[in-house]
Amino acid sequence: MSHGSSHRVAVLVDEGSNPFELGVATELFGLSRPEIDRRWYDFTLCAAAPAVRMNDGMFTLSGVAGLEAADAADTLIVPNRPEPRTPPDPAVTAAIRRAAGRGARLVSFCTGAFTLAAAGVLDGRRATTHWKWAAEFTARYPGVRLEPDVLFVDDGDVLTAAGSAAALDLGLYLISRDHGAEIANTVSRRLVFAAHRDGGQRQFVERPVPAVPEASLAPLLAWALERLDRPLSVADLAARAAVSPATLHRRFRAELGTTPLAWLTGERVALACRLIERGELRLDVVAEASGLGTASNLRAQLRRRTGLSPTTYRRRFGPAACEPVG
């Protein structure tokens, strides 16, 4: 996105929307960020009616914009539907189809994927939704390529998150895609939220209560993050945790929903992105400092995780692209 003008984000609120998902979108895209020296998003809540009842009638949201805001949005976010079997308002699905027709980015949180599918914009596309509703979704929309066991799916201009917490993961991912890893990390720190969960991690992560506090992976992760420039291996992580590699693998799956190697690679790519954003031009230096080893591996991993080459990433998120706008 251009740093010279605000990217317009609209949340399309429908009857029964969940306040949490609205709060996630508002926190990530709607609040001003004085610690970030660039234009932030132009954020709007909109609906087909001037007043909308929230989930379980908790409260009624009023004073929101009309659907003309959806028609002007660069990114249109659809929050959850508490009862996905209930058809959405036809005015809502029509607004979604108009947005898709003009090339806006479409985003759904949790069961909001049902609304996107009802609008017909997910046919033939990859998507996800809450695991509880995966079978129902597939039965109703067999033309959608549902991925039922991931946190979120990026299918280009259509992105879908699996559940309420995954909405935070997807939102931070969008900020990273729009503004770079450094800015996304700044926002996640402000939220006191870990930014290491990528979309391919599992939705349903078993989190057994550890027998002792030291059983948590947190100390190991902190130790590893301070040593990303070193040739750390899964065996090194296991030795540090005083467990076997197989046990470490099980603990990563249980606590983080990913593997030790995937976590380590993801953190190295994130560090490489931050180094590029800070102005380091030498790819071999970035590769060595981030633990990715070689410039060719850096290119491959960066393209796989961001879809961009190092040159394109630097052009989009490097110091020259991030100068404050007067």
Side-chain angles (χ1 to χ4, degrees):
M1 64 180 281
S2 169
H3 299 300
S5 60
S6 294
H7 182 99
R8 294 165 296 186
V9 175
V11 178
L12 188 47
V13 187
D14 200 5
E15 187 78 13
S17 290
N18 191 336
F20 182 84
E21 275 83 356
L22 297 185
V24 167
T26 302
E27 175 71 35
L28 291 176
F29 305 109
L31 298 188
S32 61
R33 299 286 174 191
E35 70 274 21
I36 297 174
D37 57 353
R38 67 180 66 182
R39 296 186 191 275
W40 202 234
Y41 298 93
D42 180 2
F43 180 80
T44 308
L45 296 175
C46 64
V52 184
R53 276 168 43 93
M54 293 291 96
N55 191 3
D56 286 338
M58 293 178 185
F59 58 87
T60 297
L61 188 67
S62 60
V64 298
L67 292 181
E68 66 277 2
D71 290 332
D74 300 303
T75 293
L76 185 61
I77 299 176
V78 181
N80 78 311
R81 294 192 59 74
E83 179 43 74
R85 300 184 188 93
T86 302
D89 187 329
V92 168
T93 53
I96 293 169
R97 284 192 292 270
R98 290 195 300 272
R102 59 184 173 76
R105 183 168 64 185
L106 302 177
V107 177
S108 71
F109 293 160
C110 195
T111 50
F114 279 81
T115 306
L116 293 184
V121 300
L122 291 184
D123 293 342
R125 309 289 298 256
R126 296 167 50 244
T128 193
T129 191
H130 194 286
W131 60 266
K132 178 182 177 181
W133 292 98
E136 176 79 16
F137 186 96
T138 299
R140 290 171 66 91
Y141 303 109
V144 181
R145 295 158 54 195
L146 188 74
E147 299 185 12
D149 196 33
V150 297
L151 290 178
F152 61 84
V153 168
D154 176 356
D155 197 49
D157 56 353
V158 178
L159 300 96
T160 49
S164 297
L168 275 167
D169 294 296
L170 177 54
L172 286 167
Y173 173 79
L174 287 170
I175 292 172
S176 177
R177 209 170 88 167
D178 292 343
H179 293 284
E182 187 80 354
I183 296 298
N185 280 345
T186 297
V187 175
S188 69
R189 287 195 300 270
R190 182 74 176 264
L191 297 174
V192 196
F193 183 77
H196 63 259
R197 302 204 311 173
D198 62 37
Q201 295 187 29
R202 292 185 303 146
Q203 283 188 43
F204 185 71
V205 181
E206 295 180 3
R207 298 183 183 273
V209 177
V212 292
E214 288 74 21
S216 169
L217 285 174
L220 177 64
L221 302 184
W223 178 84
L225 288 174
E226 295 177 353
R227 294 163 174 80
L228 291 176
D229 60 331
R230 305 178 193 180
L232 286 178
S233 66
V234 174
D236 294 327
L237 295 177
R240 174 68 183 183
V243 297
S244 70
T247 297
L248 184 70
H249 191 280
R250 287 194 297 271
R251 284 176 56 183
F252 263 75
R253 279 293 188 188
E255 290 194 38
L256 299 180
T258 190
T259 65
L261 182 59
W263 177 85
L264 193 58
T265 302
E267 291 297 334
R268 283 176 165 155
V269 172
L271 176 56
C273 288
R274 294 197 295 273
L275 292 171
I276 293 172
E277 291 170 30
R278 292 169 186 172
E280 179 55 64
L281 301 176
R282 299 162 295 176
L283 292 188
D284 55 339
V285 172
V286 174
E288 183 177 355
S290 62
L292 291 172
T294 65
S296 61
N297 188 42
L298 167 62
R299 290 188 188 94
Q301 293 294 344
L302 190 68
R303 186 174 292 279
R304 185 172 76 84
R305 297 205 173 229
T306 70
L308 303 174
S309 68
T311 300
T312 304
Y313 193 92
R314 181 185 301 115
R315 186 181 305 122
R316 183 174 298 182
F317 301 119
C322 300
E323 291 176 356
V325 178

